[in-house]
């Protein structure tokens, strides 16, 4: 009488142990890689910055920053600037004259310096020690001119708060975290 | 005897309902960026305020809108009226010819964005790309390409007459005068002390050239806020215009950005910053407003930074036909409006 062949077990003890060891090894490796990746991400720090394409020059940067004056400053993009005599970022909408009189300047702290280049061109430079980030010049320049004035968080001043108090009230949702290795968003294109 | 109860002016249910409504309104307002910007206490402590220039005295409005239609292609930049009254539109990588109701007649594709267009009296089409002109016969077949004579070309305007083609090159701050074969015959508008020509000042790429019935060209010198009249040989005969935010002047740093000439010789101007279209007499006296700032609400919102807009080009363009109608292209709303003089009362 022949013995019927023993049905093959779907998983014997040796295979079970081998598979178990493999799973444990893979889990361990995954944990090691995951930890490494997390640590590496922690090394990559981020800072706050303003996206000029989203800025609506609401003026909150001047008042909402924990620093006084604000860490947000106007910056000038010289390749975009038209070097206008009647600069709408420098002059109030209806100036009495195109000169450096305080009553003609749009900047409340006279932080924009106007320098004659050649007729009829003038260069405009920002004195960041005076700039309070109110964005009046940004609105004038962006609305009527080429938009060469725009706001940026200056990282020699910014405290990089975990929850930026300006970002909380930014009317254009223009604040975002950018890698500290590339902390500025450079404006390259003018409005036409 | 129980005294009659005094009815309160607001019961508890009404109070809760009103409070809920106010809360909902506040939530909506806080979610809207424009409303957040305008909320009391959040506005700039020293706002750049030109709001008083954003309304137009109704007595100055001299035109009514006949109709409007969508631009046939996205990124429309410039308009021209052809010899048969068709509207030619430079839009994206296309030149499109349309009827006065917007029905597309023909579309011609290009490899690069078309920045301006003109049609000669014999139907030959001239398309200005950034640094060259492409010539197409009346059937739309390319017959020639004219490279710019100088580097840094940025063509923004074209004018084609029976025997001459003028190309406005804002990159080089000059108007090139070509014969119909593309040969350069001369340059207009360059700084020249001996001829008392101060030169173009163009902070942004908006240089336009139009032919006036008096035989002189009209060119916008935006940085000087002037409309200048030149002979074909480049002599500056006269000029007019002044800077200012008021309706009679040209606003901002650099306006007017576009010109059109009506059959009776009056000049139509378009401005940016305060988007508005006006008609001036031949000597520069303001005659009327075609469309004031309030006529372009979407453009105004984009100009103020209150709306997201993918296009960098916010500038209006204008053209006039032989019947005195004015076409206005608004690239923000991507619409073309047809304006006609207001009927006499």
């Amino acid at each position: 009488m022949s013995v019927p062949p023993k049905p093959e077990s779907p998983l014997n003890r040796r295979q079970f142990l081998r598979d178990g060891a493999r799973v444990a090894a893979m889990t361990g490796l995954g944990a090691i890689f995951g930890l490494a990746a997390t640590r590496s991400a922690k090394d990559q720090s981020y800072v706050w910055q303003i996206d000029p394409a989203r800025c609506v020059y609401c003026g909150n940067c001047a008042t909402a920053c924990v620093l006084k004056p604000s860490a947000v400053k106007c910056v000038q993009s010289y390749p975009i600037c038209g070097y206008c005599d009647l600069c709408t970022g420098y002059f109030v909408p209806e100036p009495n004259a195109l000169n450096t009189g305080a009553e003609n300047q749009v900047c409340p702290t006279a932080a924009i310096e106007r320098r004659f280049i050649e007729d009829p061109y003038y260069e405009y430079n920002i004195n960041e020690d005076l700039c309070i980030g109110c964005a009046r010049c940004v609105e004038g320049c962006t609305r009527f001119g080429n938009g060469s004035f725009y706001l940026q968080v200056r990282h020699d001043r910014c405290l990089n708060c975990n929850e930026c108090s300006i970002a909380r009230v930014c009317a254009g949702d223009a604040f975002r975290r950018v890698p500290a290795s590339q902390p500025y968003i450079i404006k390259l294109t003018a409005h036409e | 005897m129980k005294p009659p109860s005094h009815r309160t002016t607001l019961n508890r249910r009404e109070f809760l309902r009103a409070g809920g409504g106010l809360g909902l309104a506040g939530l909506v307002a806080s979610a809207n960026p424009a409303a957040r910007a305008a909320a009391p206490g959040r506005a700039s402590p020293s706002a750049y305020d030109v709001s008083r220039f954003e309304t137009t005295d109704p007595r100055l409005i001299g035109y009514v809108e006949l109709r409007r239609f969508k631009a046939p292609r996205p990124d429309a930049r410039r308009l021209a009226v052809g010899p048969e009254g068709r509207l030619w539109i430079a839009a994206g990588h296309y030149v499109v010819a349309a009827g006065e109701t917007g029905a597309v007649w023909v579309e011609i594709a290009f490899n690069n964005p078309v920045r301006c267009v003109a049609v000669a009296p014999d139907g030959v089409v001239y398309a200005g790309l950034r640094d060259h002109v492409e010539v197409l016969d009346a059937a739309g077949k390319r017959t020639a390409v004219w490279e710019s004579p100088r580097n840094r070309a940025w063509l923004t305007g074209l004018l084609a007459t029976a025997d001459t083609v003028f190309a406005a090159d804002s990159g080089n701050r000059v108007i090139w005068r070509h014969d119909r074969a593309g040969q350069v015959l001369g340059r207009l508008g360059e700084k020249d002390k001996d001829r008392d020509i101060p030169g173009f000042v163009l902070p942004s790429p908006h240089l336009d050239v139009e032919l006036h019935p008096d035989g002189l060209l009209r060119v916008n010198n935006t940085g000087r806020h002037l409309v200048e009249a030149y002979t074909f040989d480049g002599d500056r005969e006269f000029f007019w215009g002044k800077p200012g935010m008021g309706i009679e002047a040209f606003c901002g740093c650099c306006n007017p950005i576009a010109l059109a000439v009506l059959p009776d010789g009056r000049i139509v101007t378009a401005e940016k910053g305060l988007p508005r279209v006006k008609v001036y007499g031949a000597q520069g006296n303001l005659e009327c407003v075609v469309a004031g700032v309030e006529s372009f609400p979407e453009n105004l919102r984009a100009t103020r930074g209150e709306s997201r807009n993918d296009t960098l080009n916010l500038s209006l363009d204008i053209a006039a036909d032989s019947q005195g109608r004015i076409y206005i292209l608004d690239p923000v709303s991507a619409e073309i409006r047809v304006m006609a003089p207001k009927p006499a009362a």
Side-chain angles (χ1 to χ4, degrees), chain A residues 156-176:
Chain A
D156 56 341
R157 301 156 199 263
C158 177
L159 302 178
N160 200 25
C161 303
N162 191 37
E163 185 177 12
C164 172
S165 58
I166 313 175
R168 286 174 54 207
V169 296
C170 176
D173 292 328
F175 271 73
R176 57 184 166 105

Side-chain angles (χ1 to χ4, degrees), chain A residues 54 56-58 60 84 86 88 93-94 106 120-121 136 143-146 168 170-173 189 191-192, chain B residues 33 36 42 44 46 48 50 54 77 173 201 203-204 206 245 252-253 272-274 300 303-305 308 312 315:
Chain A
R54 299 182 71 89
V56 296
Y57 18 91
C58 63
N60 286 340
C84 302
L86 201 175
T88 47
E94 291 274 80
V106 77
Y121 298 105
R136 285 182 72 182
R143 181 159 181 181
F144 291 98
N146 291 351
R168 286 174 54 207
C170 176
D173 292 328
T189 315
H191 282 275
E192 288 183 18
Chain B
R36 283 163 67 180
R42 282 189 175 155
S44 170
S46 48
Y48 186 90
V50 290
E54 291 174 356
R77 284 172 182 272
R173 288 178 262 171
V201 177
S204 51
H206 297 289
M245 294 288 175
C253 65
K272 64 171 183 160
L274 293 172
L300 187 62
T303 304
R304 285 175 180 155
R308 299 274 170 268
L312 288 170
S315 311

Side-chain angles (χ1 to χ4, degrees), chain A residues 96-163:
Chain A
N96 294 326
L98 301 187
N99 59 36
T100 55
E103 72 279 14
N104 296 322
Q105 294 185 41
V106 77
C107 180
T109 59
I112 306 173
E113 292 161 358
R114 171 178 155 103
R115 188 168 73 90
F116 177 74
I117 302 293
E118 65 172 9
D119 184 44
Y121 298 105
Y122 288 79
E123 183 181 82
Y124 298 90
N125 302 302
I126 309 296
N127 182 340
E128 291 194 355
D129 291 334
L130 297 178
C131 178
I132 57 170
C134 68
R136 285 182 72 182
C137 59
V138 178
E139 176 165 11
C141 180
T142 308
R143 181 159 181 181
F144 291 98
N146 291 351
S148 66
F149 286 158
Y150 61 104
L151 294 180
Q152 289 283 276
V153 177
R154 298 298 277 168
H155 294 294
D156 56 341
R157 301 156 199 263
C158 177
L159 302 178
N160 200 25
C161 303
N162 191 37
E163 185 177 12

